[in-house]
Amino acid sequence: MSRIASDTYRSKVMSAEEAAKLIKNGDRVGFSGFTGSGYPKVLPEALAAEIKAAHDRGDEFQIASYTGASTAPEHDGALAAVDGISMRMPYQSDPVMRNKINAGTSEYYDVHLSHSGPQVRQGFWGDLDVAVVEVAAINADGTAIPSSSVGNNNVYLETAKKIILEVNAWQSVDLEGMHDIYSMKLPGENVAIPINAAGDRIGSKYYDIDWSRVAAVIETDAEDRNSPFKPLDQESKTIAENLLDFLGNEVKQGRMPKNLLPMQSGVGNIANAVLVGLNEGPFEQLTSYTEVIQDGMVDMIDSGKLLVASATAFSLSPEAAAKMNDNAKKYREHIVLRPQEVSNNPEVIRRLGVVSCNGMIEADIYGNVNSTHIMGSRMQNGIGGSGDFTRNAYISCFVSPSLAKNGDISAIVPMVSHHDHTEHDVQVIITEQGLADLRGLSPKQRAKVIIENCAHPDYREALLEYVARAAKVANGAHTPHDLATSHEWHRRFLETGSMKG
Ligand code: COA
């Protein structure tokens, strides 16, 4: 049965190939898609074919591609492979896209996820030419049921000159009612966002679409790109245990209620390990105000430990995605999917007292964190929502193994090679070695606990030597650095393949 209940919308059904011809060289395109969920499944590959044909003819054809966050090989990967993207924003994690950014053939603007949609609405990015948005169904009145991510879709649908919809029959229609579509306005018109608890609903279940701008409707039934999580290794389990002990102590000290505060958990395997640990741990009646729903959260809903989770997208393994599709009716009682300008909104995060936990590439001895760049220059993924949550959290945590690349890299370094989260925002650093609680500590005090508790023993002595040298040569005793050698470890790795001296 068709998922398009409106005759008007049915009259615009066409193939992805026909719809792709509506996009032109130089267009700014706002796509749906967030961590492999809810991205358009067929239009990007059809567009990539158009772009390739134009390049083969010797014609210029590139678009600016804006999304919610990362998408999939058949979206970012396909467009990047044909050099079809002049500018990409915000978060991405596709290997082909990443290579184009690092080769300098695509520009990339790495912006906080909560800022990305509002910046488009504010006109900072010029006029948006096209919105390409996946939906689960179109209702008879022309409203649409969102699919497995919301991201910036509300903004792109509101602002684009032309709208292309992909109606995906793989997505469960029982997602209806899980979403809460609330759009912010321009500065001066905004009011306080009335969310006082993670599960509060303040908007509509549907996208309200301006029919006059709908240029094409495409029907698909393709799956989201759902990647399996790695089996939990001992390192991830230990990191998760360190965090859980810390939370338990916060409860004991009276700084957090017994059911904790709304948890935010970042992307990746360690974040998922933390959720598994929470599911097995002593805390009950938990809530989550976060960005993505991972497998661990679905399991916690099943076990009754997690009452409610607010996010903007799913980031599930294929098994968990199948379970979600089969049981969306049940899960929609516990999950709210919102636009990312709301899921990641600093105002709400601060009000609720969210406890954030994100992965990092490296931290330095003073507590600055690099989440994005390898050895200072190479983009890995992007800052995503880590800044939205870290800066505004009640307690902000970062997690990482203490070593990378078989021990040739220390995740704790004298000075980070790129700053995403400053010492002013980072409160807790956790590795498999232990946990550094940085609250209330001066830079020199922080260096001591980070080195003692978090650095791998192979690098501790060298870090202490740096601290001693910096104390001698620095031009001030507050945050002592030896600028001549502060990035020597990174330089050595690039030259020799190891940070070890
Ligand atoms: N130096 C160099 N490379 C490093 C490194 C370091 N200090 N630490 C990790 N890496 C490499 C890993 O070896 C791995 O390389 P590979 O892809 O060649 O195998 C890669 O970086 C990813 O590391 P991994 O251990 O798989 O980490 P992860 O999946 O936990 O991701 C981040 C870590 C930081 C990349 C990831 O959390 C991220 O993108 N964060 C920013 C966005 C964010 O926090 N979003 C959540 C907000 S809601």
Side-chain angles (χ1 to χ4, degrees):
M1 206 181 86
S2 171
R3 291 283 187 93
I4 308 172
S6 149
D7 289 341
T8 346
Y9 278 76
R10 256 203 305 272
S11 71
K12 288 278 180 176
V13 170
M14 62 182 80
S15 68
E17 289 69 28
E18 285 172 287
K21 291 190 196 302
L22 299 168
I23 299 178
K24 306 290 179 211
N25 178 38
D27 275 358
R28 301 183 183 102
V29 185
F31 290 100
S32 61
F34 200 109
T35 50
S37 300
Y39 57 92
K41 306 294 186 296
V42 288
L43 188 281
E45 281 181 327
L47 178 60
E50 285 288 315
I51 291 173
K52 181 166 186 320
H55 291 176
D56 289 347
R57 290 192 302 271
D59 296 339
E60 283 185 16
F61 196 165
Q62 282 196 315
I63 59 160
S65 170
Y66 316 148
T67 60
S70 53
T71 63
E74 61 271 33
H75 181 170
D76 264 326
L79 288 168
V82 296
D83 286 327
I85 298 183
S86 55
M87 169 59 85
R88 179 74 175 82
M89 84 101 182
Y91 187 82
Q92 54 74 44
S93 66
D94 181 83
V96 185
M97 186 73 249
R98 182 187 295 137
N99 284 342
K100 296 289 176 183
I101 292 166
N102 286 316
T105 46
S106 289
E107 301 299 323
Y108 176 45
Y109 187 76
D110 185 20
V111 59
H112 297 297
L113 292 186
S114 75
H115 288 188
S116 56
Q119 287 189 358
V120 171
R121 182 185 290 117
Q122 285 150 200
F124 293 6
W125 290 87
D127 289 343
L128 189 69
D129 296 292
V130 190
V132 185
V133 173
E134 181 187 89
V135 296
I138 297 177
N139 298 317
D141 64 359
T143 57
I145 302 175
S147 74
S148 48
S149 68
V150 178
N152 284 325
N153 296 353
N154 57 318
V155 182
Y156 299 153
L157 289 168
E158 283 160 21
T159 55
K161 292 181 211 159
K162 249 185 284 189
I163 295 170
I164 298 174
L165 297 172
E166 278 200 14
V167 184
N168 188 343
W170 176 80
Q171 302 282 1
S172 169
V173 273
D174 290 335
L175 291 175
E176 182 174 13
M178 189 181 277
H179 308 91
D180 188 49
I181 309 302
Y182 173 98
S183 276
M184 294 187 61
K185 299 190 170 62
L186 291 169
E189 299 166 6
N190 276 310
V191 294
I193 298 175
I195 294 178
N196 297 309
D200 283 357
R201 290 181 179 275
I202 58 170
S204 164
K205 293 177 190 172
Y206 310 115
Y207 297 129
D208 200 4
I209 297 171
D210 172 8
W211 159 250
S212 69
R213 289 184 283 122
V214 176
V217 179
I218 303 165
E219 291 185 285
T220 71
D221 59 358
E223 282 180 38
D224 278 335
R225 181 260 309 166
N226 293 297
S227 324
F229 288 95
K230 284 185 213 155
L232 290 194
D233 54 16
Q234 193 46 49
E235 210 170 51
S236 315
K237 282 189 198 161
T238 309
I239 292 173
E241 278 162 21
N242 291 341
L243 175 63
L244 295 177
D245 285 351
F246 169 79
L247 295 174
N249 191 46
E250 287 302 291
V251 173
K252 217 187 274 168
Q253 302 298 324
R255 292 190 285 254
M256 252 196 248
K258 264 206 217 123
N259 67 335
L260 308 181
L261 286 162
M263 301 293 296
Q264 177 262 335
S265 155
V267 291
N269 291 298
I270 296 181
N272 200 47
V274 169
L275 297 172
V276 173
L278 275 172
N279 200 20
E280 289 164 0
F283 308 109
E284 304 283 344
Q285 306 214 306
L286 299 171
T287 61
S288 174
Y289 198 82
T290 189
E291 185 180 291
V292 292
I293 305 279
Q294 297 187 314
D295 285 22
M297 280 193 196
V298 178
D299 294 340
M300 284 168 72
I301 292 172
D302 289 345
S303 71
K305 291 246 174 187
L306 182 65
L307 300 181
V308 69
S310 159
T312 191
F314 295 134
S315 178
L316 299 172
S317 68
E319 299 74 45
K323 190 160 75 165
M324 179 59 61
N325 258 357
D326 293 344
N327 301 288
K329 237 182 216 164
K330 166 185 141 190
Y331 290 117
R332 74 188 179 199
E333 303 300 318
H334 300 275
I335 293 174
V336 187
L337 293 183
R338 315 175 185 279
Q340 68 196 58
E341 60 183 341
V342 180
S343 66
N344 287 29
N345 194 284
E347 171 198 341
V348 182
I349 293 164
R350 186 70 67 94
R351 181 180 304 131
L352 300 186
V354 170
V355 177
S356 71
C357 175
N358 290 295
M360 64 180 187
I361 298 217
E362 59 183 6
D364 69 26
I365 52 174
Y366 296 125
N368 299 287
V369 163
N370 168 13
S371 291
T372 56
H373 284 69
I374 306 289
M375 304 295 148
S377 306
R378 274 190 83 79
M379 172 53 65
Q380 179 68 14
N381 301 327
I383 193 163
S386 57
D388 294 326
F389 285 94
T390 297
R391 168 65 63 89
N392 301 292
Y394 175 67
I395 299 178
S396 60
C397 309
F398 280 94
V399 290
S400 170
S402 65
L403 298 174
K405 303 292 175 210
N406 298 320
D408 284 321
I409 291 176
S410 169
I412 307 296
V413 291
M415 187 191 269
V416 284
S417 60
H418 176 91
H419 280 80
D420 291 296
H421 312 288
T422 72
E423 53 163 337
H424 313 286
D425 302 325
V426 177
Q427 295 177 342
V428 178
I429 293 178
I430 308 165
T431 68
E432 80 292 349
Q433 299 294 321
L435 180 145
D437 181 355
L438 309 177
R439 293 172 297 173
L441 301 185
S442 72
K444 288 198 295 288
Q445 293 169 330
R446 290 200 291 268
K448 190 171 178 314
V449 292
I450 292 173
I451 296 170
E452 277 175 8
N453 297 1
C454 296
H456 192 274
D458 288 359
Y459 287 92
R460 262 183 220 158
E461 209 175 305
L463 286 165
L464 291 170
E465 273 169 28
Y466 177 82
V467 168
R469 186 164 65 250
K472 279 195 203 129
V473 303
N475 70 332
H478 181 63
T479 311
H481 266 303
D482 172 20
L483 296 180
T485 60
S486 51
H487 285 132
E488 195 168 277
W489 294 20
H490 298 91
R491 262 208 332 260
R492 191 180 302 131
F493 177 82
L494 290 173
E495 281 163 21
T496 69
S498 177
M499 281 184 170
K500 288 186 179 141

